[in-house]
Amino acid sequence: MSSYDKYVTPLSTRYASQEMMTIFSARERASTWRQLWVWLAEAERELGLPIPEDAIQEMRESVRVSDAAFDKAREYEAKFRHDVMAHVHAYGEDAPKAAGHIHLGATSCYVTDNADLIFQKKALDLILPKLAKVIQNLQAFALKYKDLPTLGFTHYQPAQLITVGKRAAQWIQELMMDLEDIETVRDRLQFRGAQGTTGSQATFLELFEGNADKIVQLNEILCKKAGFPSAYPISTQTYTRKVDLRVANAVCALGATAQRICSDIRHLANLKEMEEPFEKSQIGSSAMAYKRNPMRSERITALGRKLARLPADFTATFETQWFERTLDDSAIRRMDIPEMFLLADSILLALDNVTNGIVLYPSVIRSRIDQELPFMATESILMKLATHGVSRQEAHEEVRVLSHQASDVVKQQGGRNDLLERIKKTEFFRPVWGDIDSLVDPQLFIGNCPKIVEDYCNGEVAAKLANYKESLDKASTAQLSI
């Protein structure tokens, strides 16, 4: 049967990186189980259990699971209906001297749960620098365009001017929140260790002949070998699924942020003010050859939509665990944990590509400002008239009438906004005719935007990115294969 005859997730065939796919691959999973069994045997021997060194050495030499070992494990699983015991027996065939010592004192969750924690730690370590790279891209963009006025929108209606850099700084702030949340769950991640079938450590207490101190030492050794600072102080048969939910709440929030940013980019592309990178031979539409669709931003939005909704699965899995464990967490976690990280990875690769190559059209931005700025400038004109002793209320009425006439030209006739020309031709406004042009300079309407951007990007953002300097110095922009 060809690979084209069975379903394969597009996350692996189209979107995610090889590094992330390797973390959650079948070989990495099974090989990590074997590594955990090696660490357990090494620690148990160190604490006095009679496990021969040559048996442990044989285990070390067979840590990486071969294709033949997978075939053997499948045969055992068909017989035992138990994946962990299938791999125990397959490992015993590869390391026959250790066959009677593999998995000593452990329950299945010693390998499955500890492996999941290892994979999540590796995956978090992979996405954090990628998220920092996206922030760095937008930091450079925001600083470059901190002074360039653009229309602000509230209710998707023209509002006060901001700058292009200020809008990018809004995106950065939300990504910074994601970065901080993901860093927090990464730093707080702990190991399950060796806890027994219900978290009572009874089997290990028996192995160590009632010496509870040796169980503490065992877990300290295991944590050190696995690269974790400590083990969760309380476990049942599993580590609490609250851990997965905490990680998901942080990682999956990135999906919401990505949707928001790319929705802005897609709207700005419609306005022809901004575009994502568009390759020379890229086709926007099979029917409409002229189109330049924002397909990368649309892809990110779709992936973000899926990612942002995964916490509901993790919530249900956590809240429906009964007492010390039920197995209805198993099948769904096999899907949800890898998919969460493959989605986050895919989003960050695409976001890196988009944010590093944003195309801006300042002339279009200015023309749109010119359509709206005359209305915004009327308050300044009112104040200027007041300095000449003109009644504010009379001036307000004159402006109102002319504004409605200009609005009619724009909306009913499809013309350009001619409010300023009308003001310059109306005798009432003669005292300020000479000031009109200076009152509609867009730079007068951007408030404190340039300083806001500079202070934020050169302050808090720069300080955070300094923690990722080594990886950022080596990073190149992600190239999308599709």
Side-chain angles (χ1 to χ4, degrees):
M1 180 182 290
S2 166
S3 61
Y4 298 113
D5 295 317
K6 58 184 179 181
Y7 176 78
V8 180
T9 172
L11 289 172
S12 62
T13 58
R14 298 177 70 87
Y15 306 135
S17 68
Q18 183 58 55
E19 295 93 335
M20 189 63 81
M21 288 188 287
T22 296
I23 290 173
F24 293 102
S25 67
R27 197 181 310 277
E28 186 74 8
R29 180 178 177 83
S31 298
T32 301
W33 287 4
R34 289 192 174 190
Q35 184 62 71
L36 283 159
W37 282 318
V38 171
W39 290 337
L40 180 62
E42 289 174 339
E44 288 173 337
R45 175 180 167 80
E46 183 178 336
L47 293 170
L49 295 187
I51 303 175
E53 175 59 32
D54 61 344
I56 296 176
Q57 182 57 34
E58 206 170 58
M59 291 173 69
R60 295 188 190 108
E61 293 168 357
S62 302
V63 163
R64 183 168 173 80
V65 179
S66 66
D67 290 357
F70 273 115
D71 292 339
K72 184 59 66 175
R74 271 193 294 273
E75 293 175 12
Y76 278 120
E77 187 170 1
K79 177 181 178 181
F80 299 141
R81 293 293 188 265
H82 197 290
D83 57 346
V84 173
M85 285 306 297
H87 277 276
V88 168
H89 282 266
Y91 198 9
E93 290 195 17
D94 285 347
K97 292 180 182 178
H101 304 286
I102 296 169
H103 202 63
L104 182 60
T107 184
S108 296
C109 288
Y110 167 72
V111 289
T112 57
D113 273 35
N114 282 320
D116 282 343
L117 290 165
I118 290 170
F119 300 150
Q120 291 192 64
K121 181 162 76 76
K122 287 182 177 180
L124 290 167
D125 286 341
L126 188 60
I127 65 174
L128 281 167
K130 293 182 178 181
L131 177 49
K133 174 64 163 56
V134 174
I135 292 172
Q136 184 186 59
N137 293 346
L138 287 172
Q139 177 199 37
F141 181 84
L143 288 170
K144 181 177 180 180
Y145 294 109
K146 63 183 174 62
D147 298 304
L148 182 62
T150 190
L151 273 181
F153 292 98
T154 58
H155 313 275
Y156 198 32
Q157 301 299 313
Q160 286 187 346
L161 299 189
I162 58 170
T163 65
V164 171
K166 171 63 166 54
R167 180 172 287 136
Q170 296 168 199
W171 301 339
I172 293 170
Q173 179 172 257
E174 288 149 8
L175 290 169
M176 285 279 285
M177 292 177 181
D178 292 322
L179 185 69
E180 291 162 0
D181 290 346
I182 295 170
E183 286 176 336
T184 298
V185 295
R186 165 62 179 84
D187 292 342
R188 292 182 178 177
L189 207 59
Q190 294 174 273
F191 208 41
R192 177 187 179 274
Q195 307 295 344
T197 56
T198 58
S200 69
Q201 303 176 340
T203 52
F204 293 103
L205 194 63
E206 185 174 347
L207 280 173
F208 293 123
E209 299 178 338
N211 189 337
D213 290 340
K214 285 195 173 183
I215 301 175
V216 174
Q217 294 174 48
L218 174 67
N219 279 303
E220 288 175 348
I221 294 169
L222 291 173
C223 286
K224 184 176 181 180
K225 287 179 179 292
F228 285 81
S230 58
Y232 291 105
I234 305 297
S235 284
T236 57
Q237 188 172 95
T238 69
Y239 67 82
T240 171
R241 299 312 183 214
K242 183 76 169 185
V243 173
D244 296 340
L245 178 56
R246 291 176 76 180
V247 172
N249 283 337
V251 173
C252 297
L254 173 64
T257 306
Q259 288 183 82
R260 207 193 85 73
I261 293 171
C262 288
S263 293
D264 280 359
I265 293 174
R266 291 162 64 194
H267 281 101
L268 292 169
N270 172 262
L271 298 177
K272 297 179 175 58
E273 293 186 9
M274 176 186 290
E275 285 182 346
E276 63 182 35
F278 196 90
E279 297 174 18
K280 184 177 180 180
S281 59
Q282 183 175 329
I283 295 174
S285 167
S286 62
M288 295 166 280
Y290 61 88
K291 292 196 76 178
R292 294 167 66 95
N293 297 333
M295 66 88 165
R296 300 176 203 198
S297 296
E298 291 173 313
R299 175 189 300 177
I300 294 166
T301 302
L303 295 171
R305 185 180 307 137
K306 175 70 172 176
L307 179 61
R309 281 147 186 78
L310 276 182
D313 280 4
F314 287 96
T315 299
T317 298
F318 165 60
E319 67 192 10
T320 56
Q321 283 295 285
W322 302 344
F323 304 110
E324 281 63 57
R325 198 268 173 99
T326 56
L327 195 60
D328 60 322
D329 66 339
S330 179
I332 193 168
R333 291 176 71 254
R334 288 174 189 257
M335 296 180 286
D336 283 346
I337 294 175
E339 282 194 2
M340 170 172 63
F341 285 106
L342 289 170
L343 283 163
D345 183 66
S346 302
I347 287 167
L348 289 171
L349 289 175
L351 266 179
D352 180 30
N353 182 274
V354 169
T355 57
N356 196 58
I358 291 175
V359 180
L360 206 65
Y361 297 106
S363 296
V364 177
I365 294 172
R366 179 56 196 259
S367 68
R368 198 168 303 281
I369 289 174
D370 290 343
Q371 282 289 87
E372 303 295 338
L373 192 57
F375 295 132
M376 299 178 191
T378 55
E379 183 66 19
S380 297
I381 293 172
L382 291 179
M383 296 304 100
K384 198 65 157 177
L385 284 168
T387 65
H388 290 276
V390 177
S391 164
R392 192 266 181 194
Q393 308 311 327
E394 292 179 13
H396 183 279
E397 178 61 18
E398 291 288 335
V399 168
R400 185 189 70 81
V401 171
L402 295 182
S403 294
H404 282 241
Q405 293 172 357
S407 181
D408 181 76
V409 170
V410 172
K411 294 178 179 179
Q412 301 296 334
Q413 303 173 37
R416 66 178 186 83
N417 189 332
D418 63 355
L419 176 59
L420 297 182
E421 286 85 345
R422 291 175 183 272
I423 289 175
K424 289 178 181 180
K425 293 176 182 178
T426 302
E427 188 66 26
F428 181 86
F429 295 96
R430 178 181 287 275
V432 296
W433 280 352
D435 300 311
I436 296 296
D437 290 338
S438 65
L439 293 176
V440 291
D441 178 357
Q443 293 293 332
L444 299 176
F445 294 85
I446 60 175
N448 205 28
C449 284
K451 187 175 187 303
I452 291 171
V453 174
E454 280 189 335
D455 288 351
Y456 182 57
C457 288
N458 291 330
E460 183 178 333
V461 177
K464 177 62 73 174
L465 293 180
N467 299 329
Y468 296 90
K469 184 179 187 306
E470 184 177 351
S471 62
L472 291 173
D473 286 347
K474 296 185 293 186
S476 57
T477 301
Q479 299 302 312
L480 306 184
S481 58
I482 297 177

